[in-house]
Amino acid sequence: MSQRIIADHGRVFCCLVSAVFASLLAATSVAAAGSERYSDPAVEARLITAENGINPDATSISAGLQLQLGEGWKTYWRSPGEVGRPPSIEWAGSENIKAAEFLWPAPERFTAFGIENFGYRDEVVFPIQILLNEPGAPVDLRARVNLLVCSTVCIPQDFELSLTLPRASGIDTEAAGLISDYAARVPDDGTGTGISITSAHLDDERTALTLTARSNLPFSAPDVFPELGEGTAFGKPDIRVGEGGRLVWARLPILAAASDPAEFQVTITDGDRAATLKPALADVAPAPPFSIAAVVPGLGELAWIAAVAFLGGLILNVMPCVLPVLSIKLSSAVKSGGLSPARVRTGFAVSALGVLAFMWVLAAATIAARGFGLTVGWGLQFQNPVFLAVMLVVLVIFSANLLGLFEIALPSSWQNRLARAGGGAGYGGDFATGAFAAILATPCSAPFLGTAIAFALAGRAIDIAVIFTALGIGLSLPYLVVAVFPQLVRRLPRPGRWMIVLKIVLGMALAGTAAWLFWVLGGVAGQNAALWVGLASLGAVALLSLRRIPGVARVPGAAILAAAALVMAGSLSETDRSPTTIATDWIKFDRSEIARLVSTGQVVFVDVTADWCLTCKANKALVLDREPVASRLREPGIVAMQADWTRPDESISRYLESFGRYAIPFNAVYGPAAPDGIVLPELLSTEDVLKALSDAGSGRVAVRQ
């Protein structure tokens, strides 16, 4: 039987029940008509009818499925959201039934796992309009009911209710009153309630639904329940009322879109009024009736977060992921050993400026991207295959240069001009060293860094500028210290053979970093694209190493090969993207699956990671893949779920944004005692993970299947 609401039928049914109730209220009552009760700690259910029997001329009866839910339990509407399941009834075995229409009273809103769900609590009666096959004949109802009731866990219910109505007259006043009351709550088509939708817009990426509605009477407490197909999940709506209460504007974020969208319709409720409407979609989102001023952080709060950002940048200097950065810094210091203190001071100050310049460029790009509505986050440039190709080419050439395969030097005329200018050669190299160090630090995260980045990306443009500047100052502090105290360079050993060994070590370190970037590029753009970029990079090194070829031919040839590498990274990545691999004993990230698993009493550990996130790899090697955490994650009742953000993934981006996070690593633990998740720090520890798993699973109950 169809479970879709038909507004006209619902309104007629409501009037029919009310009329029957009013006309027979004074009639002599006989034994009440109702099925036996199905009883469970979560729900009590029975089948009720307004009539105690079938009148000789009756062509239909007014029935209802009455549910009385235990404290804290709820069941779902016809469009429940991403997690729930709507009730259903099968009438197999019933006698004298031609058709049965299941009607849906207006729902209310619940929030679980950060997802909005629609349903009912305490008590609900679903009106059922039953047409008889043979008017006036007895009716035998056999209803097999299937529904889902949820609290901190969900329990599927499957039971049978039966009710026989003989030839008789009379009314069950209590049942008729309940059915009439809930039939009045079934949404109409807007005619009786005076509600209409004037505009609705769904963006191209299906990330938000925006609409406006009007009413003949002022709205008092409006709510919006859209339907976009099974599995669609919505976040908390932004609802604003204008024009003296007669206009409602609503924007609902879409957390997960249905793969097979159903017919679009929206139910709007307002106290006792409710209407289900099917608006046409407009090309442009309607403007809100007013703007909500953002809460502007005070100067003290901004200064405090800037200090946190400074600490985060400073800690990046000692993170395991910044070995290439330290190598570049040390190489710069060694080369400055024979220079004057003034030259050392200026060189390191220029390197610090390079770090800050990159942070300022990153801040400007972030502000611009936000202006265009794009997703922004820390380290997201490592999802771009062209950026990775640029980094790979540069690192391959730098490492080959350090290993002595060739020397890159400016023409003698340029060097003479720079020398006569009094600055000496190398300021451009000093600046590039700092900027390159900052670039290589971006795939890393550190304590305090996530907090600072989240504050910046959720704030104003000035917040972004201040936080990124403070972060850059923290990251460039080693340069600034040497710039202030250039005599520190004199403590380095005097130049000698050890410098050749150091140069080889640094070259091998950069070559190792290049190999890591090659692996990351394979994950982002595909193995075919990575192979061609790698071959083009090696070809450029080979060409630069052939001293028999004049420099005027080597350098342009190497530049052409480098440019070809960038072109291939961008073009081949669109056609060759091998599927990401999930580690053994882990399942692929699915936000809706988190709720389903927790609803059955299980604990879910979510790890958002990426090939380019070195801090993520450190967490995995030092904590997640080691005992006792590894064994704990494999225990029955615990599910390890991995979200691979190596490539752009809108569902993962939305998941992170729901926590106010814009960087990884990110780890959270869900369970019956922690349905909204326990968020772990960026740097994991064995104690933190084990405690979160234990806390989230506290009070787990066995679920009846």
Side-chain angles (χ1 to χ4, degrees):
M1 303 299 173
S2 173
Q3 293 189 2
R4 179 177 295 277
I5 182 172
I6 302 178
D8 291 338
H9 288 183
R11 189 166 61 252
V12 170
F13 181 50
C14 175
C15 295
L16 175 63
V17 174
S18 299
V20 170
F21 184 35
S23 62
L24 298 179
L25 186 59
T28 302
S29 291
V30 296
S35 71
E36 72 285 358
R37 289 182 181 272
Y38 169 80
S39 184
D40 182 272
V43 62
E44 287 189 1
R46 67 172 182 149
L47 196 63
I48 60 176
T49 58
E51 301 87 355
N52 283 322
I54 306 299
N55 287 316
D57 57 348
T59 60
S60 66
I61 57 175
S62 304
L65 174 63
Q66 181 186 18
L67 302 179
Q68 292 177 317
L69 298 158
E71 184 177 357
W73 292 89
K74 60 183 178 293
T75 193
Y76 293 95
W77 188 44
R78 66 166 180 260
S79 183
E82 191 178 22
V83 180
R85 189 174 72 229
S88 63
I89 294 181
E90 294 181 1
W91 298 99
S94 299
E95 296 181 3
N96 197 23
I97 291 183
K98 181 178 182 180
E101 183 181 3
F102 195 97
L103 302 179
W104 302 88
E108 56 183 309
R109 182 182 302 276
F110 306 101
T111 301
F113 312 101
I115 300 171
E116 301 294 303
N117 301 294
F118 311 143
Y120 313 91
R121 75 174 89 218
D122 298 333
E123 183 181 24
V124 63
V125 175
F126 296 100
I128 306 170
Q129 184 178 15
I130 298 177
L131 299 180
L132 304 184
N133 202 14
E134 183 181 347
V139 174
D140 191 12
L141 301 179
R142 295 288 182 268
R144 186 166 191 89
V145 181
N146 185 280
L147 57 89
L148 185 69
V149 291
C150 294
S151 179
T152 55
V153 296
C154 291
I155 300 178
Q157 305 278 357
D158 192 352
F159 52 87
E160 290 186 358
L161 299 173
S162 60
L163 176 61
T164 299
L165 295 177
R167 287 189 177 93
S169 298
I171 183 172
D172 183 334
T173 57
E174 180 182 356
L178 281 171
I179 296 171
S180 177
D181 181 32
Y182 281 91
R185 304 183 194 184
V186 175
D188 70 359
D189 60 359
T191 304
T193 54
I195 298 174
S196 63
I197 294 179
T198 53
S199 180
H201 173 263
L202 183 65
D203 63 356
D204 294 337
E205 293 77 23
R206 299 177 66 84
T207 61
L209 171 67
T210 309
L211 58 88
T212 54
R214 294 184 180 276
S215 171
N216 296 335
L217 300 174
F219 287 102
S220 58
D223 206 346
V224 180
F225 302 91
E227 298 176 69
L228 279 172
E230 183 179 357
T232 302
F234 294 93
K236 187 175 182 179
D238 177 8
I239 299 177
R240 308 180 195 180
V241 179
E243 297 184 7
R246 298 179 185 274
L247 170 71
V248 163
W249 176 92
R251 184 182 186 277
L252 298 96
I254 300 175
L255 304 179
S259 56
D260 185 18
E263 185 178 11
F264 171 53
Q265 61 183 17
V266 179
T267 296
I268 298 178
T269 65
D270 181 47
D272 296 334
R273 298 188 300 161
T276 296
L277 307 161
K278 298 179 180 180
L281 290 173
D283 296 331
V284 180
F290 58 86
S291 299
I292 298 177
V295 178
V296 178
L299 185 60
E301 183 181 2
L302 183 57
W304 170 251
I305 297 296
V308 170
F310 171 81
L311 289 175
L314 182 61
I315 293 174
L316 278 178
N317 286 284
V318 295
M319 293 292 290
C321 55
V322 297
L323 177 61
V325 180
L326 297 177
S327 300
I328 293 172
K329 291 178 180 179
L330 184 56
S331 175
S332 177
V334 170
K335 285 193 278 188
S336 66
L339 299 178
S340 66
R343 176 61 182 84
V344 172
R345 176 181 288 111
T346 306
F348 275 86
V350 170
S351 293
L353 180 61
V355 174
L356 287 169
F358 173 75
M359 289 298 170
W360 291 332
V361 169
L362 199 58
T366 299
I367 295 170
R370 281 202 349 178
F372 286 106
L374 302 177
T375 300
V376 291
W378 181 253
L380 292 192
Q381 66 270 27
F382 279 79
Q383 295 178 343
N384 188 311
V386 176
F387 173 83
L388 289 172
V390 171
M391 297 296 297
L392 178 60
V393 170
V394 171
L395 280 176
V396 168
I397 293 176
F398 275 23
S399 60
N401 179 249
L402 284 173
L403 292 173
L405 296 181
F406 57 86
E407 291 290 337
I408 300 177
L410 293 174
S412 57
S413 59
W414 289 22
Q415 296 184 35
N416 291 335
R417 291 178 184 176
L418 289 172
R420 286 196 298 270
Y427 286 139
D430 290 327
F431 183 88
T433 296
F436 201 59
I439 293 172
L440 287 179
T442 52
C444 307
S445 186
F448 307 111
L449 183 61
T451 300
I453 294 298
F455 178 88
L457 298 184
R460 304 160 295 171
I462 185 63
D463 299 326
I464 295 174
V466 170
I467 299 306
F468 275 75
T469 299
L471 181 60
I473 293 174
L475 185 59
S476 64
L477 187 62
Y479 289 106
L480 295 173
V481 169
V482 177
V484 175
F485 304 104
Q487 62 271 23
L488 292 175
V489 176
R490 297 179 183 177
R491 296 181 180 272
L492 294 173
R494 293 184 178 181
R497 299 188 55 158
W498 68 271
M499 292 186 65
I500 299 176
V501 176
L502 178 62
K503 193 175 182 181
I504 294 174
V505 170
L506 296 179
M508 294 178 65
L510 290 183
T513 306
W516 165 69
L517 280 176
F518 176 81
W519 176 64
V520 173
L521 181 61
V524 173
Q527 296 299 325
N528 189 32
L531 179 62
W532 282 106
V533 172
L535 289 175
S537 302
L538 294 176
V541 169
L543 188 58
L544 291 172
S545 302
L546 294 176
R547 294 182 174 85
R548 295 182 180 180
I549 301 177
V552 293
R554 282 186 294 157
V555 175
I560 292 174
L561 286 174
L566 307 188
V567 172
M568 287 185 287
S571 58
L572 296 179
S573 64
E574 297 300 324
T575 58
D576 179 23
R577 289 190 176 221
S578 56
T580 56
T581 57
I582 303 298
T584 307
D585 300 324
W586 291 70
I587 67 172
K588 187 176 180 181
F589 173 78
D590 183 343
R591 184 170 185 166
S592 61
E593 190 65 17
I594 297 173
R596 296 188 184 99
L597 290 169
V598 174
S599 71
T600 62
Q602 300 189 70
V603 172
V604 181
F605 179 88
V606 177
D607 177 36
V608 184
T609 183
D611 289 347
W612 43 263
C613 175
L614 294 181
T615 309
C616 303
K617 302 303 179 185
N619 281 339
K620 192 168 180 60
L622 299 176
V623 178
L624 300 182
D625 286 347
R626 287 193 175 187
E627 299 297 343
V629 173
S631 296
R632 188 84 163 89
L633 292 176
R634 291 194 294 267
E635 288 182 2
I638 296 180
V639 178
M641 181 179 288
Q642 185 180 95
D644 190 335
W645 210 27
T646 300
R647 302 169 185 166
D649 188 315
E650 188 65 29
S651 65
I652 297 177
S653 299
R654 295 184 199 176
Y655 173 71
L656 291 173
E657 288 174 11
S658 69
F659 286 92
R661 293 295 186 93
Y662 302 87
I664 55 175
F666 177 84
N667 299 94
V669 182
Y670 299 83
D676 293 326
I678 300 172
V679 178
L680 297 174
E682 287 94 343
L683 291 180
L684 297 179
S685 70
T686 299
E687 294 75 16
D688 287 339
V689 174
L690 294 179
K691 185 177 185 303
L693 291 172
S694 178
D695 291 346
S698 298
R700 271 190 290 178
V701 298
V703 178
R704 183 183 60 199
Q705 298 297 331

